[in-house]
PDB file of all heavy atoms in Angstrom:
ATOM      1  N   ASP V 310      -2.544  64.246  32.798  1.00 97.00           N
ATOM      2  CA  ASP V 310      -2.873  65.612  32.356  1.00 97.00           C
ATOM      3  C   ASP V 310      -4.184  65.654  31.575  1.00 97.00           C
ATOM      4  O   ASP V 310      -4.953  66.597  31.677  1.00 97.00           O
ATOM      5  CB  ASP V 310      -1.739  66.153  31.479  1.00 97.00           C
ATOM      6  CG  ASP V 310      -0.435  66.354  32.250  1.00 97.00           C
ATOM      7  OD1 ASP V 310      -0.492  66.373  33.507  1.00 97.00           O
ATOM      8  OD2 ASP V 310       0.623  66.457  31.607  1.00 97.00           O
ATOM      9  N   VAL V 311      -4.420  64.612  30.793  1.00 97.00           N
ATOM     10  CA  VAL V 311      -5.669  64.533  30.042  1.00 97.00           C
ATOM     11  C   VAL V 311      -6.829  64.251  30.994  1.00 97.00           C
ATOM     12  O   VAL V 311      -7.920  64.823  30.838  1.00 97.00           O
ATOM     13  CB  VAL V 311      -5.588  63.433  28.961  1.00 97.00           C
ATOM     14  CG1 VAL V 311      -6.898  63.277  28.225  1.00 97.00           C
ATOM     15  CG2 VAL V 311      -4.454  63.753  27.980  1.00 97.00           C
ATOM     16  N   ARG V 312      -6.602  63.391  31.969  1.00 97.00           N
ATOM     17  CA  ARG V 312      -7.652  63.089  32.955  1.00 97.00           C
ATOM     18  C   ARG V 312      -8.046  64.331  33.739  1.00 97.00           C
ATOM     19  O   ARG V 312      -9.218  64.544  34.060  1.00 97.00           O
ATOM     20  CB  ARG V 312      -7.171  61.993  33.906  1.00 97.00           C
ATOM     21  CG  ARG V 312      -8.247  61.552  34.921  1.00 97.00           C
ATOM     22  CD  ARG V 312      -7.819  60.371  35.738  1.00 97.00           C
ATOM     23  NE  ARG V 312      -7.627  59.183  34.911  1.00 97.00           N
ATOM     24  CZ  ARG V 312      -6.529  58.491  34.813  1.00 97.00           C
ATOM     25  NH1 ARG V 312      -5.452  58.842  35.519  1.00 97.00           N
ATOM     26  NH2 ARG V 312      -6.454  57.433  34.040  1.00 97.00           N
ATOM     27  N   ALA V 313      -7.068  65.186  34.036  1.00 96.00           N
ATOM     28  CA  ALA V 313      -7.357  66.421  34.768  1.00 96.00           C
ATOM     29  C   ALA V 313      -8.233  67.366  33.948  1.00 96.00           C
ATOM     30  O   ALA V 313      -8.994  68.148  34.487  1.00 96.00           O
ATOM     31  CB  ALA V 313      -6.049  67.119  35.134  1.00 96.00           C
ATOM     32  N   LYS V 314      -8.114  67.256  32.638  1.00 96.00           N
ATOM     33  CA  LYS V 314      -8.903  68.099  31.721  1.00 96.00           C
ATOM     34  C   LYS V 314     -10.301  67.533  31.488  1.00 96.00           C
ATOM     35  O   LYS V 314     -11.209  68.222  31.034  1.00 96.00           O
ATOM     36  CB  LYS V 314      -8.138  68.197  30.399  1.00 96.00           C
ATOM     37  CG  LYS V 314      -8.675  69.168  29.365  1.00 96.00           C
ATOM     38  CD  LYS V 314      -7.782  69.172  28.134  1.00 96.00           C
ATOM     39  CE  LYS V 314      -8.310  70.120  27.072  1.00 96.00           C
ATOM     40  NZ  LYS V 314      -7.433  70.132  25.860  1.00 96.00           N
ATOM     41  N   PHE V 315     -10.488  66.235  31.786  1.00 97.00           N
ATOM     42  CA  PHE V 315     -11.710  65.499  31.469  1.00 97.00           C
ATOM     43  C   PHE V 315     -12.866  65.977  32.345  1.00 97.00           C
ATOM     44  O   PHE V 315     -12.845  65.830  33.572  1.00 97.00           O
ATOM     45  CB  PHE V 315     -11.458  63.995  31.684  1.00 97.00           C
ATOM     46  CG  PHE V 315     -12.572  63.092  31.213  1.00 97.00           C
ATOM     47  CD1 PHE V 315     -12.610  62.634  29.904  1.00 97.00           C
ATOM     48  CD2 PHE V 315     -13.573  62.681  32.094  1.00 97.00           C
ATOM     49  CE1 PHE V 315     -13.620  61.788  29.471  1.00 97.00           C
ATOM     50  CE2 PHE V 315     -14.585  61.844  31.666  1.00 97.00           C
ATOM     51  CZ  PHE V 315     -14.606  61.387  30.355  1.00 97.00           C
ATOM     52  N   ASN V 316     -13.904  66.539  31.722  1.00 97.00           N
ATOM     53  CA  ASN V 316     -15.087  67.041  32.428  1.00 97.00           C
ATOM     54  C   ASN V 316     -16.047  65.864  32.624  1.00 97.00           C
ATOM     55  O   ASN V 316     -16.833  65.529  31.729  1.00 97.00           O
ATOM     56  CB  ASN V 316     -15.745  68.163  31.624  1.00 97.00           C
ATOM     57  CG  ASN V 316     -16.906  68.803  32.387  1.00 97.00           C
ATOM     58  OD1 ASN V 316     -17.570  68.177  33.176  1.00 97.00           O
ATOM     59  ND2 ASN V 316     -17.111  70.094  32.116  1.00 97.00           N
ATOM     60  N   ALA V 439     -16.455  66.206  26.862  1.00 97.00           N
ATOM     61  CA  ALA V 439     -15.682  66.298  28.101  1.00 97.00           C
ATOM     62  C   ALA V 439     -14.509  67.289  27.982  1.00 97.00           C
ATOM     63  O   ALA V 439     -13.765  67.494  28.939  1.00 97.00           O
ATOM     64  CB  ALA V 439     -15.166  64.937  28.513  1.00 97.00           C
ATOM     65  N   GLY V 440     -14.325  67.877  26.805  1.00 97.00           N
ATOM     66  CA  GLY V 440     -13.331  68.931  26.639  1.00 97.00           C
ATOM     67  C   GLY V 440     -11.975  68.506  26.153  1.00 97.00           C
ATOM     68  O   GLY V 440     -11.035  69.303  26.099  1.00 97.00           O
ATOM     69  N   ASP V 443     -10.716  70.392  23.042  1.00 95.00           N
ATOM     70  CA  ASP V 443     -10.623  71.850  23.114  1.00 95.00           C
ATOM     71  C   ASP V 443      -9.167  72.280  22.949  1.00 95.00           C
ATOM     72  O   ASP V 443      -8.254  71.563  23.366  1.00 95.00           O
ATOM     73  CB  ASP V 443     -11.155  72.341  24.466  1.00 95.00           C
ATOM     74  CG  ASP V 443     -12.675  72.205  24.573  1.00 95.00           C
ATOM     75  OD1 ASP V 443     -13.326  72.020  23.528  1.00 95.00           O
ATOM     76  OD2 ASP V 443     -13.200  72.271  25.690  1.00 95.00           O
TER      77      ASP V 443
END
Side-chain angles (χ1 to χ4, degrees):
D310 294 343
V311 176
R312 184 174 295 123
K314 189 179 178 180
F315 188 87
N316 186 330
D443 288 345

